Amino acid sequence: MKISLNWIQEYADIAGISPKDYAEAMTLSGSKVEGFAEVGEAVQNVVIGKILEKEKHPDADRLWICKVDVGTSETLQIVTAAQNMEAGDTVAVALHGATLPGGITIKTGKLRGVVSQGMFCSHEELGLSLSDIPGAAEDGIIVFPKAYAPGTNVKKVVGLDDVVVDFEITSNRPDCLSAIGLGRETAATFGKPFVTHTPKMTGNDENINDFIKVQVQAPEKCTRYIARGVKNIRIAPSPRWMRDRLTASGIRPINNIVDITNYVMLEYGQPMHAFDRRYLKGGEIIVRCAAADETITTLDGVSRKLDSDMLVIADATRAVAVAGVMGGENSEIQSDTTEVIFESAMFHGPSVRRAAKRLGLRTESSARFEKGLDSTLSLAAVNRACELVELLDAGTVIGGMVDIYPTPSCERVLPLDADKINHFLGTSIPRERMEEILTAIGFTVKGDQISVPTFRADVEEFADVAEEIARFYGYTEIPATALSSSAGIGGRSKSQAMEERIADMLSVMGYYEVMTSSFTERGAAEKLGRSSEGCIFIKNPLGEENAAMRNTLLHTNLEVLAHNANQRIANVRTFEIGKIYKDLDEKTLAKEPKMLFIGGYHTDFYAVKGDLEALFASLGVSSVRFETAPENATFHPGKTAAIFIGEEEAGIFGAIHPEIAGRYGLETEVFAAEIALDAILANAAENKTYKTLARFPAVTRDLAFLIDDTVQAGKVYEVIKKYAGGRAEEIVLFDIYKGKQVPMGKKSMAYKITFRAQDKTLSEQDVSRALDKIVRMLEKELGASLR
């Protein structure tokens, strides 16, 4: 909000405080200043002068030579072509070195051979209008109607000595969207008395109820409605002081009646509206919701379609204003208006915001209502408007008012515990100082309780009271203290540490970590060959590419691989640890398990399988096995395996189906794995166990078996490991053969088994017993026979 500093001066004496110091102090006390600007910054070194003598120029018929007193010991000589001044007049004089709007600089010079030590100024040369200076000549210099002391800075005389301060007002402080609110904050910040004015109740002996009837048909959206009337309206320009203050706040002056409503809005923070009474058909005001498809032409000349959720002010036949947003063109103040109804009401903030947003019409009024105003302001504001009518001689105020206020607002009562506040803030502020601060900002202190004024709806609990005390006591006055906590040193949780280990291990293996968006396109599941049933879709997506929450990491990571393939980057391998979203219902939130994706192209099945085995081994995850996966539309049916950790199926791994890869523009074979991170974390070893190097030699034996072609290698490995005993150090499948020497439906599988004991050198007998047992159990459990 922009506000005139001269206006603020009416509420708190800040004379002598520079704009810079004012801005810094207000920002520190919680009213952030975005910036400030001097109104007359372009006018420098222009003073009041008194013409002592006037005589004709000897060489020019239209030039005059004047002797001027500018408050110095030296009388200046100024040559001018102005014809509207005489000796004894008070004028504006631009001295040598003066600057004027437009970048004009005045210097001493000669006119027709006579030295001129300055220049007399017209209203235009000072950037003013004719109405800014009563009696100013349209084609001449400024001749002031009364005398001022020579040498006085002209900016003080013509109102250019103001500073406009731009405040950033947070949404929880609508009370500061007013001159009174900022004046109160200013007074408390600088420890000055807060000077305010209570509007006088004005009005003649007539009764407003004889002029207008008011009905509130939507009390949930209009908690208070006040109407007052003025007759014998005399439309005219507003006085200079009012126009200056409106202009400083960014509001264009229009006429005295409209300007009064805008001025009161800036002064009190209470939006108002003025209706031309002759256009209120039926002599009544009805506060109701708009009818379906009802239209109104607002003051900006635009016809707008309303809906039934919008609150309107209507007469007997039509809407004449959108409540809290903008008035209608059909009841605006005209140059021949003679009777006016002032509206000062309290509308429901969320309702006003919705209406303004749907209409694309955010105004100064709606910006205030949507933040939630104090309903007690409505009465003071309308009385102030009527008081200004009489002050500006703009009309006759009609007696009485219509005030529909079924549920008056009440002050909130909170405890005041000085010890608790000091403990909370880490201060030692005396209770008396706390009471001074709270009283200065409008709170009432009675014993151990405080009454929060109705304009401070943001103060709801103890912490809010402590904040009010802290910001005016001064944040810079609060001593810095070290934290006194028994909390230990922070660190990563088990899951965070494990994720970091996984990322480090995969990076060492040559994989690049990627991060993809949790949002994905609506057809992602279908692109992977899956059903979209169970997918979570966004009701108001930013775009179709962000219309769903991902339920797999495959889609976004295949897009990453495809992008790199299109850039002709060879041998790309990537991984991602991220959440997926599934199982959303009306009673619970979606489940968000974390998954691990690894994948790449220009590699093969066994290379990626080896990387997975190495990862599991580095994490201490035991009991991992790979089994043929059931048919999956995303993966190649002959190159896919389910990953089991213990008895739990933890993920899937294999080659992406060529048709699916083609949908992403991948022409090469792509391998990918997606594994539940929880399964890895639950089975990972927290601590590594180190072993000493073996002291005794190993014994290696090779075994080749004939076995049914349908038996998986993993099953054979499990049987060998189970019956080889604790001395089997390594079991490696090194050959699979199917050919002429092997019967149909069979295959030959050759394993190298390494035995080693930790306490002795193994004998041939020890190894033979283990081998015999392995052969017997393979034959018994899997139907294998030794070749």
Side-chain angles (χ1 to χ4, degrees), residues 1 249-251 265-266 271 324-325 362-369:
M1 176 179 175
S249 297
I251 295 179
M265 178 184 70
L266 293 174
V325 182
R362 197 164 189 266
T363 61
E364 287 282 348
S365 176
S366 67
R368 285 169 168 77
F369 276 121

Side-chain angles (χ1 to χ4, degrees), residues 6 21 39 62 131 158 178 282 308 311 373 440 451-452 462 466 471 493 547 551 554 597 616 630 691 699 721:
N6 285 347
D21 291 340
V39 174
R62 294 192 59 79
S131 58
V158 299
S178 66
S308 58
L311 188 69
L373 298 179
S451 296
V452 182
F462 155 77
R471 69 190 183 95
S493 64
N551 62 359
L554 288 171
F597 168 91
F616 291 138
K691 298 179 181 179
V699 178
K721 185 174 180 61

Side-chain angles (χ1 to χ4, degrees), residues 210-221:
D210 296 332
F211 285 78
I212 195 74
K213 304 296 181 185
V214 179
Q215 297 180 46
V216 177
Q217 297 180 356
E220 71 285 355
K221 293 183 179 180

Side-chain angles (χ1 to χ4, degrees), residues 397-719:
V397 178
I398 299 170
M401 70 178 71
V402 177
D403 187 1
I404 300 175
Y405 193 21
T407 309
S409 60
C410 301
E411 292 186 342
R412 183 182 292 110
V413 177
L414 296 175
L416 176 61
D417 187 334
D419 293 336
K420 184 178 179 181
I421 289 173
N422 277 322
H423 178 73
F424 181 70
L425 297 176
T427 57
S428 54
I429 306 172
R431 178 188 171 87
E432 293 75 17
R433 178 65 180 131
M434 293 184 184
E435 292 184 7
E436 288 177 6
I437 291 171
L438 293 173
T439 302
I441 55 176
F443 291 66
T444 303
V445 182
K446 292 182 180 180
D448 292 332
Q449 289 187 328
I450 59 172
S451 296
V452 182
T454 53
F455 60 80
R456 290 303 305 275
D458 60 306
V459 178
E460 299 178 336
E461 55 185 29
F462 155 77
D464 298 324
V465 177
E467 180 188 7
E468 295 302 303
I469 292 170
R471 69 190 183 95
F472 289 111
Y473 176 71
Y475 292 123
T476 57
E477 299 299 317
I478 299 177
T481 56
L483 291 174
S484 56
S485 173
S486 58
I489 298 174
R492 293 183 176 88
S493 64
K494 176 184 175 181
S495 61
Q496 290 171 333
M498 193 62 66
E499 287 179 26
E500 186 177 36
R501 286 176 60 187
I502 292 171
D504 287 346
M505 186 65 183
L506 289 172
S507 297
V508 168
M509 293 179 185
Y511 287 83
Y512 288 89
E513 185 172 12
V514 300
M515 295 179 66
T516 62
S517 174
S518 296
F519 297 104
T520 187
E521 60 187 271
R522 189 177 296 274
E526 288 82 355
K527 196 170 182 179
L528 290 169
R530 303 176 179 183
S531 170
S532 61
E533 184 178 354
C535 291
I536 301 173
F537 296 105
I538 309 299
K539 289 184 177 179
N540 56 338
L542 296 176
E544 281 303 306
E545 69 279 8
N546 296 309
M549 302 297 291
R550 65 184 180 190
N551 62 359
T552 175
L553 299 182
L554 288 171
H555 173 69
T556 51
N557 278 276
L558 286 176
E559 289 183 329
V560 170
L561 293 174
H563 173 77
N564 284 278
N566 290 337
Q567 303 300 316
R568 301 191 181 281
I569 302 175
N571 303 320
V572 171
R573 294 186 294 172
T574 65
F575 76 94
E576 179 179 12
I577 298 172
K579 289 181 180 180
I580 63 172
Y581 305 85
K582 60 182 182 179
D583 300 335
L584 177 68
D585 59 43
E586 295 180 356
K587 297 181 180 179
T588 61
L589 297 175
K591 293 180 181 178
E592 301 180 11
K594 276 192 172 181
M595 304 295 288
L596 167 65
F597 168 91
I598 74 168
Y601 53 80
H602 292 170
T603 184
D604 60 46
F605 182 92
Y606 294 104
V608 179
K609 179 174 178 286
D611 290 339
L612 287 172
E613 291 173 332
L615 174 64
F616 291 138
S618 71
L619 299 175
V621 178
S622 57
S623 303
V624 178
R625 68 181 191 276
F626 298 86
E627 294 186 2
T628 301
E631 187 173 340
N632 186 311
T634 306
F635 289 88
H636 193 294
K639 298 180 180 180
T640 305
I643 303 171
F644 284 82
I645 301 177
E647 297 303 316
E648 178 186 359
E649 185 174 351
I652 191 168
F653 149 65
I656 299 297
H657 196 289
E659 182 180 340
I660 301 299
R663 294 175 185 176
Y664 290 87
L666 288 161
E667 298 177 356
T668 185
E669 193 170 36
V670 181
F671 290 88
E674 188 173 36
I675 310 164
L677 197 64
D678 286 345
I680 298 175
L681 299 180
N683 293 276
E686 291 190 38
N687 300 306
K688 288 187 176 181
T689 302
Y690 295 90
K691 298 179 181 179
T692 61
L693 290 172
R695 295 169 53 201
F696 300 95
V699 178
T700 302
R701 293 289 185 271
D702 293 342
L703 292 177
F705 305 96
L706 282 177
I707 196 165
D708 288 344
D709 194 22
T710 57
V711 177
Q712 298 177 19
K715 294 292 185 182
V716 177
Y717 174 87
E718 288 177 9
V719 172

Side-chain angles (χ1 to χ4, degrees), residues 703-707 735 737 741-742 747-749 785-787:
L703 292 177
F705 305 96
L706 282 177
I707 196 165
D735 182 58
Y737 175 74
Q741 292 84 3
V742 176
K747 61 183 175 183
S748 172
M749 302 182 71
S785 60
L786 192 64
R787 285 189 69 186

